[in-house]
Amino acid sequence: EVQLVESGGGLVQPGGSLRLSCAASGFTFSSYPIHWVRQAPGKGLEYVSAISSDGGSTYYANSVRGRFTISRDNSKNTLYLQMGSLRAEDTAMYFCARRDITGYYSYWGQGTLVTVSS
Amino acid sequence: EIVMTQSPVTLSVSPGERATLSCRASQSITSNLAWYQQKPGQAPRLLIYGASTGATGIPARFSGSGSGTEFTLTISSLQSEDFAVYSCQQYNNWPPTFGGGTKVEIK
């Protein structure tokens, strides 16, 4: 069974940092690009960042470029999102999602909540 | 980036009735569209990809149609477990983008 389990969310002050993790199991982790997608309270889903299967290529939404860093450790089947210079508008549930070859998301984690507030 | 617009925002339907949800893209995305279902506190679940192909294990009452810029998700006979938020996503252009969602609620 494919599983994606996020962790690392919490309450952080504006300007602070946080590292999210996404532990994968049930599939060959190193074969798939993985994305971070977030959902602000009461809002729609928003693509945040992506990483290629080997970690060699990374991509970011304009809203987080320069502040967030995505990485992965294929030996540990784990994805990361290092978040810095956090703003109130980064408050959201953060999901990791497995992207299939054509571009849709076939599996999602349950999410981890990030709240940026003083 | 491509803007995805869903309508209506909220759809009130009685159990057993048919629900029709719309998704419009700001430019052509051919058939590169997916639909997801999301219940409170849960992860999104893939329902439809390629605009009309049902994902594994999805009941036949869910169907998708459309191409280009206009897409529809139809739930033929709503069951109690179908009351949820439905989102569309385009993957034709980078970055992937989502619609704002349609909440299907009990009438």
Side-chain angles (χ1 to χ4, degrees):
Chain A
E1 179 192 7
V2 172
Q3 282 198 315
L4 296 166
V5 180
E6 301 91 338
S7 60
L11 174 63
V12 61
Q13 292 189 338
S17 299
L18 211 55
R19 188 176 86 154
L20 307 184
S21 299
C22 169
S25 60
F27 65 102
T28 304
F29 181 70
S30 59
S31 295
Y32 290 88
I34 307 290
H35 290 206
W36 286 102
V37 177
R38 68 185 179 185
Q39 187 170 36
K43 302 295 185 182
L45 296 161
E46 178 192 18
Y47 154 80
V48 173
S49 183
I51 190 165
S52 61
S53 56
D54 65 358
S57 297
T58 57
Y59 310 86
Y60 300 93
N62 290 338
S63 57
V64 306
R65 186 174 291 113
R67 301 188 298 122
F68 291 10
T69 301
I70 191 171
S71 61
R72 66 192 294 163
D73 186 338
N74 285 346
S75 69
K76 296 182 178 179
N77 289 349
T78 303
L79 172 77
Y80 304 100
L81 186 68
Q82 179 68 48
M83 311 166 67
S85 301
L86 283 161
R87 307 166 180 168
E89 54 265 36
D90 296 317
T91 294
M93 185 71 78
Y94 284 73
F95 299 97
C96 57
R98 192 185 89 173
R99 179 185 181 271
D100 274 34
I101 189 167
T102 49
Y104 55 84
Y105 299 108
S106 49
Y107 294 96
W108 299 67
Q110 293 291 324
T112 188
L113 182 62
V114 173
T115 303
V116 184
S117 175
S118 54
Chain B
E1 69 181 39
I2 294 178
V3 176
M4 306 299 293
T5 303
Q6 290 186 244
S7 61
V9 173
T10 305
L11 184 62
S12 298
V13 185
S14 298
E17 288 189 340
R18 181 186 195 93
T20 303
L21 290 65
S22 295
C23 176
R24 174 178 293 177
S26 60
Q27 65 188 75
S28 177
I29 57 170
T30 62
S31 295
N32 292 317
L33 182 100
W35 289 95
Y36 302 92
Q37 177 193 67
Q38 190 175 13
K39 298 179 182 178
Q42 296 187 18
R45 177 174 73 144
L46 176 67
L47 295 177
I48 301 284
Y49 62 91
S52 60
T53 302
T56 303
I58 300 304
R61 64 182 180 273
F62 292 92
S63 63
S65 63
S67 66
T69 62
E70 301 284 343
F71 302 87
T72 300
L73 175 69
T74 301
I75 312 171
S76 59
S77 177
L78 271 156
Q79 306 298 302
S80 58
E81 62 267 28
D82 300 336
F83 292 96
V85 174
Y86 294 84
S87 299
C88 60
Q89 175 229 341
Q90 70 80 21
Y91 49 92
N92 193 69
N93 286 31
W94 193 268
T97 50
F98 295 86
T102 291
K103 181 180 181 181
V104 177
E105 64 177 25
I106 301 174
K107 186 174 183 180

